[in-house]
Amino acid sequence: MDGKPASEVPVVRVKDKDFSLSIGRKKIASAVRETARSLSHDYEGMNPLFLVVLNGAFMFAADLIREIKIPCELTFTKLSSYSGTDSSGKVRILLGLNEELQGRHVVIVEDIVDTGLSMEFLLEELQAFHPASVRIATFLFKPDAFIKEYQIDYVGIEIPNEFIVGYGLDYDGYGRNLSDIYTLVP
Ligand code: 5GP
Ligand code: MG
């Protein structure tokens, strides 16, 4: 982390694997503030509806929304795609979207875009509700893993193509409570 010798980087055990500290809470907070600043500027007067993708984005969303300085609303959906540390490639909606999206300027709030498969699925599902516009705000983005074509409008931090936990993101349900982000030790 940030040029420290490997022996000094804190390691946590999550379930049955070791993860080493890769993004500290200060860097997280400043990336969240920066994203919120851009959104507050771009959506001035538009009453955006933030659509938070559960479970992973809950912590990012809670921090982001408190830094948004314009009138806005919040709603939630839930997708399922991962088990363990590998993408299953299948996406399902587990918590419904509804008509409140019609005519609204929707901002999808995600924890991480990896291959981009889940987000593509959600973008397609959203069309049925006729939003006025849809943009994506993801806290983390893995450009080397992304295999899709669509634009990602707001990115907090770009990261290498490695499996991470913390700040809402889990490994088999564990590690969401960590305030910093940790990378799987190979
Ligand atoms: P995608 O469909 O873009 O490949 O993956 C999207 C979802 O997979 C994310 O919303 C997140 O839940 C999960 N995911 C992708 N990469 C990681 C990772 O490095 N760590 C964790 N914990 N989840 C990830
Ligand atoms: Mg997610």
Side-chain angles (χ1 to χ4, degrees), residues 53-57 110-112 169:
V53 185
L54 296 171
N55 293 325
E110 253 290 24
D111 51 359
I112 187 164
L169 289 111

